[in-house]
mmCIF file of all heavy atoms in Angstrom:
data_model
loop_
_atom_site.group_PDB
_atom_site.id
_atom_site.type_symbol
_atom_site.label_atom_id
_atom_site.label_comp_id
_atom_site.label_asym_id
_atom_site.label_seq_id
_atom_site.Cartn_x
_atom_site.Cartn_y
_atom_site.Cartn_z
ATOM 1 N N LEU A 19 241.778 77.243 -42.451
ATOM 2 C CA LEU A 19 241.086 78.110 -43.392
ATOM 3 C C LEU A 19 240.936 79.521 -42.826
ATOM 4 O O LEU A 19 241.122 80.517 -43.539
ATOM 5 C CB LEU A 19 239.717 77.525 -43.720
ATOM 6 C CG LEU A 19 239.703 76.221 -44.535
ATOM 7 C CD1 LEU A 19 238.299 75.620 -44.553
ATOM 8 C CD2 LEU A 19 240.191 76.454 -45.959
ATOM 9 N N GLN A 27 232.198 77.794 -46.344
ATOM 10 C CA GLN A 27 230.954 77.476 -45.670
ATOM 11 C C GLN A 27 231.052 76.060 -45.135
ATOM 12 O O GLN A 27 231.917 75.272 -45.569
ATOM 13 C CB GLN A 27 229.768 77.593 -46.634
ATOM 14 C CG GLN A 27 229.524 79.006 -47.134
ATOM 15 C CD GLN A 27 228.382 79.061 -48.131
ATOM 16 O OE1 GLN A 27 228.326 78.279 -49.070
ATOM 17 N NE2 GLN A 27 227.449 79.984 -47.913
ATOM 18 N N LYS A 39 226.475 60.564 -48.319
ATOM 19 C CA LYS A 39 226.977 61.714 -49.062
ATOM 20 C C LYS A 39 228.466 61.589 -49.362
ATOM 21 O O LYS A 39 228.931 61.985 -50.438
ATOM 22 C CB LYS A 39 226.711 63.000 -48.281
ATOM 23 C CG LYS A 39 227.198 64.254 -49.001
ATOM 24 C CD LYS A 39 226.354 65.446 -48.677
ATOM 25 C CE LYS A 39 226.671 66.607 -49.604
ATOM 26 N NZ LYS A 39 225.681 67.693 -49.487
ATOM 27 N N LEU A 40 229.225 61.024 -48.402
ATOM 28 C CA LEU A 40 230.668 61.012 -48.547
ATOM 29 C C LEU A 40 231.184 59.960 -49.519
ATOM 30 O O LEU A 40 232.104 60.225 -50.301
ATOM 31 C CB LEU A 40 231.334 60.799 -47.178
ATOM 32 C CG LEU A 40 231.120 61.880 -46.118
ATOM 33 C CD1 LEU A 40 232.030 61.628 -44.930
ATOM 34 C CD2 LEU A 40 231.347 63.276 -46.680
ATOM 35 N N LYS A 41 230.636 58.763 -49.464
ATOM 36 C CA LYS A 41 231.197 57.662 -50.256
ATOM 37 C C LYS A 41 231.242 57.955 -51.756
ATOM 38 O O LYS A 41 232.257 57.701 -52.393
ATOM 39 C CB LYS A 41 230.440 56.370 -49.962
ATOM 40 C CG LYS A 41 230.734 55.806 -48.573
ATOM 41 C CD LYS A 41 229.897 54.586 -48.261
ATOM 42 C CE LYS A 41 230.315 53.399 -49.092
ATOM 43 N NZ LYS A 41 229.569 52.172 -48.700
ATOM 44 N N ALA A 65 239.538 64.477 -49.080
ATOM 45 C CA ALA A 65 239.244 63.847 -47.798
ATOM 46 C C ALA A 65 240.498 63.811 -46.938
ATOM 47 O O ALA A 65 241.615 63.897 -47.451
ATOM 48 C CB ALA A 65 238.714 62.434 -48.018
ATOM 49 N N THR A 109 243.094 61.534 -26.870
ATOM 50 C CA THR A 109 242.106 62.507 -26.386
ATOM 51 C C THR A 109 240.698 61.979 -26.557
ATOM 52 O O THR A 109 239.838 62.136 -25.678
ATOM 53 C CB THR A 109 242.267 63.842 -27.137
ATOM 54 O OG1 THR A 109 243.581 64.353 -26.927
ATOM 55 C CG2 THR A 109 241.248 64.865 -26.651
ATOM 56 N N SER A 127 220.893 63.674 -22.204
ATOM 57 C CA SER A 127 219.790 63.265 -23.079
ATOM 58 C C SER A 127 220.052 61.869 -23.646
ATOM 59 O O SER A 127 221.198 61.429 -23.780
ATOM 60 C CB SER A 127 219.619 64.255 -24.228
ATOM 61 O OG SER A 127 220.722 64.196 -25.118
ATOM 62 N N ARG A 154 249.350 58.301 -22.056
ATOM 63 C CA ARG A 154 249.913 58.823 -23.303
ATOM 64 C C ARG A 154 249.728 60.334 -23.373
ATOM 65 O O ARG A 154 250.634 61.064 -23.787
ATOM 66 C CB ARG A 154 249.240 58.145 -24.494
ATOM 67 C CG ARG A 154 249.859 58.513 -25.836
ATOM 68 C CD ARG A 154 249.076 57.910 -26.984
ATOM 69 N NE ARG A 154 248.978 56.465 -26.868
ATOM 70 C CZ ARG A 154 248.191 55.716 -27.630
ATOM 71 N NH1 ARG A 154 247.407 56.282 -28.534
ATOM 72 N NH2 ARG A 154 248.162 54.407 -27.485
ATOM 73 N N LEU A 162 254.742 68.936 -24.926
ATOM 74 C CA LEU A 162 254.289 70.209 -25.480
ATOM 75 C C LEU A 162 254.706 71.385 -24.602
ATOM 76 O O LEU A 162 255.134 72.426 -25.102
ATOM 77 C CB LEU A 162 252.765 70.203 -25.630
ATOM 78 C CG LEU A 162 252.168 69.395 -26.778
ATOM 79 C CD1 LEU A 162 250.656 69.350 -26.649
ATOM 80 C CD2 LEU A 162 252.565 69.983 -28.126
ATOM 81 N N LEU A 189 243.305 68.761 -28.957
ATOM 82 C CA LEU A 189 243.297 68.751 -27.500
ATOM 83 C C LEU A 189 242.152 69.572 -26.909
ATOM 84 O O LEU A 189 241.911 69.527 -25.700
ATOM 85 C CB LEU A 189 244.632 69.273 -26.966
ATOM 86 C CG LEU A 189 245.841 68.365 -27.228
ATOM 87 C CD1 LEU A 189 247.138 69.111 -26.959
ATOM 88 C CD2 LEU A 189 245.771 67.101 -26.389
ATOM 89 N N TRP A 204 248.052 76.475 -18.823
ATOM 90 C CA TRP A 204 248.776 77.014 -19.971
ATOM 91 C C TRP A 204 248.270 76.433 -21.281
ATOM 92 O O TRP A 204 248.280 77.114 -22.320
ATOM 93 C CB TRP A 204 250.275 76.718 -19.839
ATOM 94 C CG TRP A 204 250.584 75.253 -19.695
ATOM 95 C CD1 TRP A 204 250.720 74.556 -18.533
ATOM 96 C CD2 TRP A 204 250.741 74.304 -20.758
ATOM 97 N NE1 TRP A 204 250.967 73.227 -18.796
ATOM 98 C CE2 TRP A 204 250.992 73.041 -20.152
ATOM 99 C CE3 TRP A 204 250.725 74.380 -22.143
ATOM 100 C CZ2 TRP A 204 251.201 71.879 -20.900
ATOM 101 C CZ3 TRP A 204 250.939 73.223 -22.897
ATOM 102 C CH2 TRP A 204 251.177 72.005 -22.279
#
Side-chain angles (χ1 to χ4, degrees):
L19 292 169
Q27 295 177 311
K39 180 149 191 169
L40 296 190
K41 289 176 70 175
T109 301
S127 68
R154 186 185 303 170
L162 285 172
L189 292 167
W204 57 267

